[in-house]
Amino acid sequence: MSDMRIDQVETVIVDIPLRRAHRFARAGMNAQPVLYVFVRTAGGVTGVGEGVVPGGPWWGGESVETMQLIVERYLGPVLLGRGVDEIPMILRDIADVVAANLFAKTAVEVALHDAWARHLGVPVHVLLGGAARTAVPVTWALGTEPADAVVEEALVKLDSGLHSSFKLKMGKQDPADDVTRIVKVAEKLAGVAGVRVDINARWDRLTALSHLPGLAAAGIEMIEQPLPGHDVEGMAAVAAALPIPVMADESLRTPADAIRLATAGAAGIFAVKTTKSGGLRAGRAIAEVAAAAGIPCYAATSIESPVGTAASLHAACASPATPWGSELFGPLLMAEEMLVEPLVYDADGLHLPDGPGLGVELDPARVRAYRRK
């Protein structure tokens, strides 16, 4: 229909302050840069998508600055004049213009789904096949701080009633010291909370095989991406050596990666991120490969703002299997609320919002306040 034709594509970068610094193995941040992509139609409907990476280009090679350039110069022109319901053909044409750049493509793809669903008056999850659940549990992510500081933060979160599991970042310290730190945390939280760890692809195979059994013995529930993303064979060796599951993140970006990992027996859990895979449809395809292979999924995070979090939530609720819950805690880490009506977190997890599209509305005043000049 003519009113579904795209007549404008706009990008805005915002820098959203965090409640506390968040540190990874290789980077840290006090604010999260986010790229918003607005797709407007002739019928007056606007869809919004989000491009975001965890802490900068160290993770996937993209940043909000590169995403903005790619969208404005290369992807936006492909969209103009097209219908928001032409998503498969648009994605095909985008792939002919730009290789890789999956985070930038995610922002566009999610905006298209949001606009299309708003035109139809349905939630985005309907376009993904419908909701299998209406909420997902949320794990709280902790940084690379000393054990006492991590335990203190975890206990506060436990008291809030919003979280019963925690994921700790590793890989910044000497491996032996890092393991000692994690074991201390696990001992303090034993019997009251689940503890998982993320090594952010920092260790080699020998280091992982030497130190990870100690973490398993200490009661750690799951190990995320101990080895570099390309080392699928090494991931399989580590997975075979441990009594607890290894989760693939940096090794898993595309449905083809999902098939490769499943075939190799290299992961017991898939970390599915809408952002890193190129959008909702690719994430759904990864989840379907996982379901066929009997591999559970985890709705992972790139520290999205509420827009990207809502997109990932729709995908997780439509997914065939997410028994490990989610890490969609990004909005709770941010010091400012970016929506007119906040997403709902409670003891049952993060709840799927009502309303058409993503079901969320950005607060224009907040976008203006944190827009990068």
Side-chain angles (χ1 to χ4, degrees):
M1 295 183 292
S2 61
D3 64 347
M4 294 175 69
R5 297 291 172 183
I6 300 164
D7 61 14
Q8 186 177 1
V9 178
E10 181 186 0
T11 66
V12 174
I13 292 176
V14 295
D15 294 290
I16 307 173
L18 302 182
R19 296 181 184 278
R20 57 137 170 94
H22 193 69
R23 296 184 176 86
F24 306 88
R26 299 174 183 165
M29 59 185 188
N30 294 300
Q32 175 64 308
V34 174
L35 174 72
Y36 290 131
V37 174
F38 300 95
V39 171
R40 295 186 172 91
T41 70
V45 169
T46 298
V48 60
E50 176 176 329
V52 63
V53 290
W58 68 273
W59 197 95
E62 295 181 65
S63 67
V64 291
E65 296 85 6
T66 66
M67 293 177 218
Q68 185 175 49
L69 176 63
I70 289 292
V71 172
E72 289 187 350
R73 184 170 297 183
Y74 298 103
L75 303 186
V78 177
L79 271 59
L80 293 175
R82 308 285 288 273
V84 291
D85 58 342
E86 299 175 24
I87 294 176
M89 291 180 288
I90 290 173
L91 295 181
R92 177 201 63 198
D93 295 343
I94 280 174
D96 288 340
V97 175
V98 176
N101 286 275
L102 296 176
F103 288 88
K105 290 175 179 176
T106 293
V108 168
E109 194 249 27
V110 169
L112 290 171
H113 279 88
D114 187 33
W116 185 19
R118 287 175 186 273
H119 267 286
L120 297 175
V122 300
V124 161
H125 65 73
V126 171
L127 304 182
L128 303 176
R133 58 191 62 79
T134 59
V136 291
V138 179
T139 293
W140 183 261
L142 299 161
T144 58
E145 289 78 11
D148 290 345
V150 167
V151 169
E152 181 179 358
E153 182 175 350
L155 292 176
V156 170
K157 293 299 177 182
L158 278 172
D159 288 343
S160 75
L162 298 181
H163 312 281
S164 60
S165 61
F166 301 92
K167 196 181 78 174
L168 285 74
K169 295 293 182 180
M170 296 183 69
K172 187 174 183 179
Q173 302 180 23
D174 173 81
D177 294 338
D178 223 358
V179 168
T180 298
R181 178 179 72 96
I182 298 298
V183 169
K184 288 180 180 179
V185 174
E187 289 173 346
K188 294 286 188 180
L189 298 179
V192 295
V195 179
R196 300 113 181 240
V197 299
D198 181 6
I199 302 174
N200 278 136
R202 290 287 284 174
W203 288 0
D204 58 31
R205 194 181 310 190
L206 178 59
T207 302
L209 290 172
S210 298
H211 292 285
L212 291 182
L215 290 179
I220 299 304
E221 296 178 331
M222 170 263 282
I223 308 293
E224 181 175 349
Q225 197 69 43
L227 306 184
H230 64 83
D231 191 2
V232 173
E233 182 181 308
M235 288 279 286
V238 172
L242 295 177
I244 58 175
V246 171
M247 183 162 73
D249 185 11
E250 282 87 342
S251 292
L252 176 63
R253 298 186 187 223
T254 67
D257 292 336
I259 293 172
R260 189 176 304 113
L261 289 162
T263 301
I269 307 171
F270 281 175
V272 181
K273 288 180 185 174
T274 299
T275 50
K276 70 177 178 181
S277 300
L280 296 161
R281 295 190 177 210
R284 181 181 62 182
I286 289 170
E288 289 170 345
V289 170
I295 298 172
C297 292
Y298 178 77
T301 186
S302 294
I303 320 294
E304 296 94 340
S305 86
V307 170
T309 299
S312 293
L313 177 60
H314 279 272
C317 287
S319 172
T322 53
W324 279 80
S326 80
E327 199 176 324
L328 301 179
F329 75 108
L332 298 177
L333 185 63
M334 294 174 181
E336 297 293 340
E337 177 56 59
M338 299 301 292
L339 299 181
V340 174
E341 293 290 338
L343 292 168
V344 176
Y345 291 85
D346 63 21
D348 295 322
L350 173 59
H351 290 259
L352 199 59
D354 296 326
L358 294 175
V360 299
E361 302 293 340
L362 278 169
D363 184 336
R366 292 295 181 182
V367 173
R368 287 193 298 270
Y370 295 105
R371 181 170 186 165
R372 186 177 295 180
K373 304 299 186 291

